[in-house]
Amino acid sequence: MRRSKTSTGSGPSSTAVSGSSMASSQGGPTTNTDTKMKDMLKELYHLIHQVQEERARGEHNLANIDKTHERIKQEQKISPYYKTKLRGLYNTAMQDAESEAELLRRALEKIAEIKSIKQDRRDGPPKQIMRRGVLMTMLQQNAQTLPLWIAKSDEEPPALCGAVSAESTYIAKQGDKVAARVKGQDGEENWILAEVVVYNTATNKYDVDDIDAEEGKERHTLSRRRIVPLPVWKANPETDPEALFSKDTLVLALYPQTTCFYRALIHEPPKRPQDDYSVLFEDTSYPDGYSPPLNVTQRYVIYCKDDKKK
């Protein structure tokens, strides 16, 4: 299992020169994009400032609740006055929490928009080949910045939140990271981390690039069934545990310090929002057929379609 990813080029593919790329080199669209980016960053700054103000207001109200409970404790009785006061304080606390949650949702949406604009800039100069250490750091940062899903009252986790699969009609966008099943020169198939270049609606196939720049850019043309979108939201174990893979579920997980997905069993799901999965990779070099527990972030743990152990 600890093999290196072999060269899995799928043959020559046509490359079109984007008109927007040529225009970007002339400065017009790039300037507009820079202006839009600055405006969105300002909006994000104001949203974060509002979140801080709302949180301070909420903390002040929570402090008043604590003080009221202390007074009740000292008097050893709850008078009608304190009942009315507490009811009002708790209603205010709920309103404060809902207001803060709404501001956080708007801030997360703004961050997603900013990341999308940054991704669109990839249509410009060709990407430089990265050293493996830099690539691994980038992938880890990408996983750590995955936004946490914050639901409204009685709102279900959406598709691509944690373990929730994409809708059957979902089409991954250009620049999205996906798991792609590709065939190597030796005929063996591997699940690799790839980036969507384009989806062809005429053929219902994706063009994707192997993310591992150390091996050079490799483009593959694959059917939808060979592509699995990665989560775009992190599920909160404290509020949405049903949106996480449960213990002993068979999954595909990105093996640490590689760009390949391998079959694994969930050893322990995350218990807190910042926690990773603990998984057991299938590995015949161990007596029981599984590796010791290893941590993998939610971003890189997906459903395994094939439940037959190899």
Side-chain angles (χ1 to χ4, degrees):
M1 168 182 160
R2 240 20 101 233
R3 61 183 178 276
S4 298
K5 194 169 50 174
T6 57
S7 177
T8 52
S10 56
S13 60
S14 60
T15 303
V17 178
S18 168
S20 61
S21 298
M22 295 176 65
S24 296
S25 65
Q26 297 173 2
T30 302
T31 302
N32 293 337
T33 301
D34 289 342
T35 302
K36 186 176 180 181
M37 178 71 80
K38 288 179 181 178
D39 290 341
M40 296 183 75
L41 287 171
K42 286 180 182 177
E43 292 175 27
L44 179 59
Y45 172 81
H46 290 309
L47 281 170
I48 293 173
H49 188 65
Q50 288 178 273
V51 169
Q52 292 173 331
E53 289 180 342
E54 193 64 49
R55 182 164 297 176
R57 185 161 42 248
E59 289 175 348
H60 177 74
N61 189 63
L62 291 175
N64 286 335
I65 291 175
D66 289 338
K67 289 178 182 177
T68 303
H69 278 291
E70 283 297 323
R71 289 170 186 165
I72 293 173
K73 187 176 180 181
Q74 291 172 3
E75 296 182 12
Q76 297 183 346
K77 66 176 181 179
I78 304 178
S79 65
Y81 166 75
Y82 283 131
K83 284 183 180 180
T84 303
K85 183 176 182 179
L86 280 175
R87 187 178 295 113
L89 288 172
Y90 276 113
N91 285 335
T92 301
M94 290 177 63
Q95 292 171 4
D96 290 342
E98 289 172 0
S99 297
E100 183 181 342
E102 180 59 30
L103 287 169
L104 285 169
R105 290 188 199 97
R106 288 169 56 191
L108 287 172
E109 289 171 0
K110 191 61 62 179
I111 290 171
E113 291 176 28
I114 292 170
K115 291 175 72 174
S116 178
I117 290 176
K118 291 181 68 176
Q119 189 65 53
D120 288 344
R121 288 182 171 178
R122 301 175 74 92
D123 291 338
K127 292 185 293 184
Q128 293 183 346
I129 293 179
M130 288 188 230
R131 290 177 298 173
R132 175 164 290 273
V134 175
L135 175 62
M136 294 300 113
T137 299
M138 183 195 74
L139 295 179
Q140 188 63 25
Q141 289 174 344
N142 182 270
Q144 290 173 347
T145 56
L146 195 68
L148 180 70
W149 171 251
I150 302 174
K152 298 179 182 178
S153 300
D154 301 324
E155 188 177 14
E156 296 293 328
L160 296 181
C161 174
V164 183
S165 299
E167 301 287 346
S168 58
T169 56
Y170 179 81
I171 302 298
K173 300 182 296 296
Q174 179 185 10
D176 283 357
K177 303 297 187 297
V178 296
R181 189 174 185 178
V182 301
K183 184 175 291 187
Q185 292 179 344
D186 58 358
E188 186 175 0
E189 294 191 333
N190 296 316
W191 284 95
I192 67 168
L193 183 60
E195 182 177 292
V196 174
V197 177
V198 68
Y199 176 73
N200 189 324
T201 54
T203 62
N204 290 325
K205 290 186 177 182
Y206 285 98
D207 281 353
V208 300
D209 281 342
D210 186 341
I211 199 68
D212 196 341
E214 265 198 351
E215 298 180 8
K217 181 177 291 188
E218 297 172 357
R219 185 156 295 181
H220 306 273
T221 300
L222 304 169
S223 62
R224 289 177 62 182
R225 65 186 179 84
R226 287 179 169 267
I227 297 292
V228 178
L230 301 186
V232 297
W233 296 94
K234 186 186 297 183
N236 188 342
E238 297 170 350
T239 58
D240 302 299
E242 73 281 4
L244 292 165
F245 293 110
S246 57
K247 184 178 175 64
D248 294 330
T249 301
L250 181 65
V251 296
L252 287 173
L254 196 71
Y255 194 86
Q257 298 302 308
T258 77
T259 57
C260 284
F261 290 85
Y262 295 99
R263 293 157 55 93
L265 290 179
I266 299 295
H267 179 60
E268 290 291 344
K271 292 183 173 61
R272 300 171 300 170
Q274 66 271 29
D275 290 346
D276 296 335
Y277 282 101
S278 174
V279 305
L280 308 172
F281 285 96
E282 290 185 359
D283 194 333
T284 56
S285 65
Y286 291 92
D288 61 355
Y290 292 97
S291 71
L294 292 171
N295 289 342
V296 182
T297 65
Q298 286 193 44
R299 172 71 164 167
Y300 302 126
V301 179
I302 57 175
Y303 176 70
C304 183
K305 298 177 181 178
D306 180 14
D307 61 358
K308 296 179 181 179
K309 186 173 179 180
K310 294 180 180 179

